[in-house]
Amino acid sequence: MVISNKSEYALLALLELATCYPNGEALQIREIAALQDIPNRYLEQLLATLRRGGLIKSIRGAKGGYVLARDPGKITVLDAFTCMEGSDIVASNPEPTPNTIEGELIQEVWQEARQAANSVLEKYTLQDLCERRSMRKQKELMYYI
């Protein structure tokens, strides 16, 4: 499985929004773009898709911007992929194989692999990613004498 730029940038944007969620702060496109080095125009399109998918909300006004639509602990990585790719990309069916025993065996193994990938993506939430990022940043700040 390969993560598309679209999905990766969307996850990065969601991660920034998840960081601001406890404060109730809204982030503007230019702020997210600067923090994650994402082109503004492209980010606008991604955020529109995330908004239509119900993962984020837009707030109008001088202090407006974007916020998560729900708690980061309730948005999974699979939710983000599904929103950006239009459907569950991991569960999409490959080309049909011939109706042979070998073809059926290959299909069964492929189905099991898709289910395993889905369960991993469904297991992690934006909150989990935020916590992991915090732990890694703390490790980087540590130095030893």
Side-chain angles (χ1 to χ4, degrees):
M1 179 180 148
V2 176
I3 183 171
S4 68
N5 281 340
K6 176 171 63 171
S7 291
E8 183 176 1
Y9 285 160
L11 274 171
L12 291 172
L14 287 170
L15 189 56
E16 290 304 329
L17 294 173
T19 303
C20 295
Y21 185 83
N23 306 333
E25 260 179 65
L27 282 179
Q28 296 179 349
I29 290 175
R30 60 182 161 76
E31 293 173 307
I32 298 169
L35 288 167
Q36 290 297 334
D37 197 27
I38 303 171
N40 278 0
R41 289 279 201 204
Y42 192 46
L43 185 57
E44 285 177 29
Q45 296 170 10
L46 299 178
L47 293 176
T49 302
L50 291 169
R51 189 175 49 74
R52 283 190 302 271
L55 296 181
I56 64 173
K57 296 187 288 189
S58 60
I59 298 173
R60 295 179 183 246
K63 300 237 180 204
Y66 290 89
V67 295
L68 291 180
R70 56 186 191 265
D71 186 271
K74 301 211 186 301
I75 300 174
T76 67
V77 174
L78 185 60
D79 292 336
F81 276 118
T82 301
C83 180
M84 294 313 297
E85 302 299 334
S87 67
D88 184 355
I89 57 170
V90 180
S92 62
N93 288 327
E95 292 295 315
T97 55
N99 276 343
T100 64
I101 292 173
E102 294 82 4
E104 289 174 12
L105 292 172
I106 291 169
Q107 284 291 84
E108 288 170 10
V109 170
W110 187 244
Q111 180 63 30
E112 187 177 339
R114 286 192 305 255
Q115 289 171 349
N118 276 343
S119 68
V120 169
L121 294 175
E122 198 168 41
K123 177 177 146 183
Y124 292 101
T125 66
L126 294 179
Q127 184 65 41
D128 295 330
L129 296 180
C130 285
E131 289 168 3
R132 283 179 165 210
R133 178 172 71 172
S134 292
M135 287 175 29
R136 291 206 180 159
K137 282 185 176 182
Q138 285 177 353
K139 284 181 183 178
E140 285 179 11
L141 293 176
M142 294 180 113
Y143 59 91
Y144 300 93
I145 300 176

